[in-house]
Amino acid sequence: MEKIAVIDLGSNSVRLVLANIMPGGYFVVFDELKESVRLGQDMERDGFLKPARVAQAVKTLKMFRKLCDSYNVDKVYAVAANSLRRAKNQKSFIEEVNSVCGFKFRVLNEEEEAMHIYRGVINSLDVPKGVIVDIDGSSMQIIQYNRRNIINRECLPFGAITLSDLFAGQNYSPEEQNRLTELYVLDQLSQVAWLKEIEPDYQLVGVGGSFRNLGKICKRVKRYPFDMIHNYRITPEEFNNVYDMVKVLDPDKRAKIKGISADRADIFASALAGIKAFSDYTNLGDMIISGAGLREGIMFMHAVPITLEKSISDVLGHSIYTMMNYCEINIPHAEHVCNLSIQLFKQLRVLHKLPRQYVKALRIAALMHDTGTRLKFYQHNKHTFYFILNANLYGISHRDIILAAFIAQGHRSDDFNMGDWNKYKDLLREEDLVAVLKLSVILRIAESFDRSMSGAVKGISCDVLGDSVIMKTEVEGDCSLEIKNALKAAPDFARAYRKNLEIL
């Protein structure tokens, strides 16, 4: 299995991400490191990277070299963007890093940086029309896209560090400093002509550490029960509440807020001021946090080279198949169980009366129902429940992930825990409980119909006759094992559908 490393040298921090590349165009991150180096700090005065910052960056990259060597990494992508792009001593820094650490850094131009960010977002979020905002230490990347094509982009020469330095040392209160920062950013945004033309149906997508920290704080404030930042949605009201709390605090008090990383506390309020100005200027409403950006864009480029020309059409499907390949499960069996599950969903629609939106959760549960066997076969439905909840699936809402986990948990037995359900009840709807019970039975029967993993049951047709449902199977060969196993679900079917089950 090929191993790659991506090193992202930013103005504020430097990150190393290591990933296994699997056949078929899939990758899974297996380790990472992050260090604050503040490479871009104090560079505005004369355009030179400062010796202390360079020394810290080199020291950090030597640690990264050691980790890459210990993992026998096959290929390293080492990239830097705005801070190094503008540095007058860029060449000498790159030569020193190459000499000491063996990393050949590529300094991305604005277009290359935007493309990697866009590639990371578009291949991990199902957002058809969006405006991506990525704030690093010294720049703000803005990318407008529609129908998987970039329409406009702009790289503004300020970020969390430069904005925090802008009005520092002038005896302004924290609140006044952030108010002036907002006005400055608004003025800069007003000079980007295409921003005035953005329609309100576009979705604001936030990328980068400041947005991730913002999401963590919002989740803590509302006691959000699901531990996933990617695809987390923040309303303007939630954002304003956090910003109003943060903007009046000095850095020492900010550092005590849970959710803010220690290396970002002193620049976090300035980043929020920039986000506030952008949100007010564009009036795009809710913002979605993307946990994927430039580094993931590079990993997609390596693992799925076609993404250089066009994005992944089925984001959720690619994410599911990544997990199935990672868990080394029987993919033809999983696909067949999924097909049978969807057939049953359609055949039983007159009884369950569930909207088609539930098919997404059923598809995830059916394809991933055996992933728990990666841990242990016995009670693997419980392990699958945990695995789906923590797989960080792309292209799907948090609610649908939770529903899929509960559906998959029920594919081997009527093993439903109301304590688990109540933990997530604030993200679920009242009607979801009944839906999960009905869909779990569908998955259990579909999985039973491929018990020998031979694909013997080709199709299913259901007739509702009085108080019974007659399932007629289209088969090839002996299916006595499949039918016998499926009939074990008859008591649970009767409880969920108020009908007796017969299988022919």
Side-chain angles (χ1 to χ4, degrees):
M1 186 180 296
E2 185 184 13
K3 292 182 175 69
I4 69 165
V6 178
I7 300 174
D8 176 12
L9 181 59
S11 303
N12 182 49
S13 61
V14 56
R15 284 179 177 269
L16 167 69
V17 179
L18 299 126
N20 285 320
I21 308 298
M22 298 176 287
Y26 307 105
F27 66 87
V28 173
V29 172
F30 66 86
D31 204 349
E32 70 171 357
L33 277 176
K34 173 196 170 187
E35 292 290 332
S36 175
V37 296
R38 294 286 170 91
L39 190 63
Q41 194 158 39
D42 302 324
M43 197 178 76
E44 297 299 321
R45 291 178 297 190
D46 54 10
F48 283 88
L49 301 173
K50 300 301 176 280
R53 303 297 175 189
V54 170
Q56 180 62 34
V58 171
K59 180 180 178 181
T60 299
L61 291 169
K62 287 171 70 175
M63 292 191 298
F64 287 5
R65 177 80 268 173
K66 184 175 182 180
L67 193 61
C68 288
D69 290 344
S70 69
Y71 279 121
N72 295 315
V73 167
D74 298 291
K75 184 173 181 60
V76 177
Y77 290 93
V79 299
N82 194 57
S83 59
L84 207 54
R85 193 161 55 227
R86 295 184 293 112
K88 293 179 181 179
N89 53 341
Q90 171 197 124
K91 185 177 179 182
S92 62
F93 173 80
I94 291 175
E95 288 175 350
E96 180 178 357
V97 169
N98 189 14
S99 173
V100 175
C101 310
F103 293 132
K104 296 181 180 179
F105 267 88
R106 175 180 174 80
V107 181
L108 303 175
N109 61 40
E110 291 180 4
E111 182 179 4
E112 290 171 328
E113 183 182 3
M115 283 304 302
H116 285 313
I117 295 168
Y118 168 76
R119 202 172 286 122
V121 169
I122 201 66
N123 292 308
S124 65
L125 280 178
D126 186 14
V127 177
K129 298 174 68 175
V131 180
I132 303 167
V133 177
D134 185 346
I135 301 177
D136 67 10
S138 60
S139 69
M140 175 188 281
Q141 280 275 2
I142 308 171
I143 307 159
Q144 180 190 14
Y145 70 89
N146 186 15
R147 297 181 180 178
R148 297 179 174 269
N149 290 298
I150 293 178
I151 301 173
N152 292 296
R153 64 173 180 83
E154 188 74 29
C155 183
L156 299 175
F158 54 80
I161 294 176
T162 47
L163 289 175
S164 65
D165 290 342
L166 200 59
F167 300 103
Q170 301 182 42
N171 295 321
Y172 290 122
S173 67
E175 187 171 11
E176 180 66 10
Q177 185 174 341
N178 287 300
R179 187 186 70 83
L180 292 171
T181 302
E182 286 182 53
L183 293 174
Y184 173 80
V185 175
L186 283 169
D187 178 65
Q188 297 297 308
L189 294 174
S190 69
Q191 299 175 41
V192 182
W194 58 266
L195 277 177
K196 301 180 179 69
E197 309 299 325
I198 294 178
E199 299 168 354
D201 59 340
Y202 276 82
Q203 178 70 63
L204 172 57
V205 179
V207 177
S210 295
F211 278 103
R212 290 192 298 271
N213 277 230
L214 170 63
K216 290 175 183 177
I217 296 170
C218 289
K219 287 174 66 176
R220 282 184 175 274
V221 168
K222 68 190 297 186
R223 297 183 179 180
Y224 194 77
F226 190 52
D227 187 22
M228 181 176 174
I229 200 67
H230 186 73
N231 208 11
Y232 178 72
R233 183 179 293 267
I234 300 173
T235 66
E237 181 181 6
E238 286 178 288
F239 171 79
N240 288 331
N241 288 339
V242 171
Y243 182 48
D244 289 344
M245 172 183 67
V246 169
K247 70 182 182 182
V248 299
L249 301 176
D250 58 45
D252 289 340
K253 291 182 179 178
R254 263 183 245 139
K256 297 177 182 178
I257 298 176
K258 292 183 178 180
I260 300 180
S261 53
D263 64 331
R264 200 172 294 273
D266 59 333
I267 60 174
F268 185 59
S270 297
L272 292 191
I275 296 170
K276 172 67 173 174
F278 186 89
S279 181
D280 287 350
Y281 188 78
T282 57
N283 197 30
L284 291 180
D286 293 358
M287 63 185 75
I288 290 178
I289 307 299
S290 174
L294 183 145
R295 294 179 293 278
E296 288 73 18
I298 293 173
M299 287 185 275
F300 274 115
M301 177 191 70
H302 182 93
V304 197
I306 191 65
T307 56
L308 287 168
E309 301 172 11
K310 62 178 183 179
S311 56
I312 294 168
S313 58
D314 182 6
V315 172
L316 173 60
H318 185 271
S319 186
I320 293 171
Y321 275 78
T322 296
M323 292 298 104
M324 289 197 293
N325 278 276
Y326 174 72
C327 292
E328 299 179 334
I329 67 169
N330 186 328
I331 290 180
H333 166 65
E335 291 175 333
H336 194 53
V337 170
C338 183
N339 290 333
L340 293 174
S341 295
I342 293 173
Q343 283 187 48
L344 283 170
F345 181 91
K346 293 176 180 178
Q347 291 284 330
L348 296 171
R349 182 174 287 149
V350 67
L351 291 180
H352 62 63
K353 299 178 181 177
L354 298 174
R356 182 164 177 78
Q357 287 88 334
Y358 282 102
V359 171
K360 278 188 178 181
L362 179 60
R363 179 193 180 200
I364 297 169
L367 287 172
M368 296 183 69
H369 73 275
D370 276 341
T371 51
T373 59
R374 176 72 185 249
L375 179 61
K376 188 173 67 174
F377 171 78
Y378 297 106
Q379 295 186 316
H380 68 264
N381 58 315
K382 291 184 178 181
H383 307 317
T384 297
F385 171 79
Y386 174 84
F387 193 91
I388 292 176
L389 286 178
N390 292 277
N392 202 42
L393 292 174
Y394 290 156
I396 192 71
S397 71
H398 293 181
R399 171 177 169 266
D400 282 331
I401 292 173
I402 295 166
L403 291 175
F406 278 105
I407 293 167
Q409 187 182 44
H411 86 272
R412 273 295 170 102
S413 64
D414 187 16
D415 195 5
F416 189 84
N417 188 320
M418 278 305 298
D420 289 337
W421 182 266
N422 288 332
K423 178 181 177 181
Y424 300 104
K425 63 182 174 76
D426 290 342
L427 299 184
L428 302 171
R429 301 170 188 165
E430 187 176 343
E431 62 271 22
D432 287 340
L433 179 57
V434 173
V436 163
L437 296 175
K438 290 179 177 179
L439 295 174
S440 294
V441 175
I442 282 178
L443 177 56
R444 195 178 317 164
I445 294 172
E447 200 262 352
S448 295
F449 279 154
D450 199 38
R451 190 67 183 87
S452 62
M453 301 188 183
S454 62
V457 175
K458 301 297 182 184
I460 310 161
S461 61
C462 299
D463 294 324
V464 180
L465 301 175
D467 61 355
S468 297
V469 171
I470 313 298
M471 286 187 185
K472 300 174 183 176
T473 56
E474 175 189 339
V475 304
E476 283 185 3
D478 180 17
C479 290
S480 56
L481 171 62
E482 281 74 11
I483 292 174
K484 180 180 179 180
N485 207 69
L487 282 171
K488 293 179 181 178
D492 296 321
F493 184 89
R495 281 194 292 272
Y497 289 90
R498 309 294 184 188
K499 300 286 183 183
N500 297 318
L501 177 63
E502 296 181 33
I503 302 175
L504 304 177

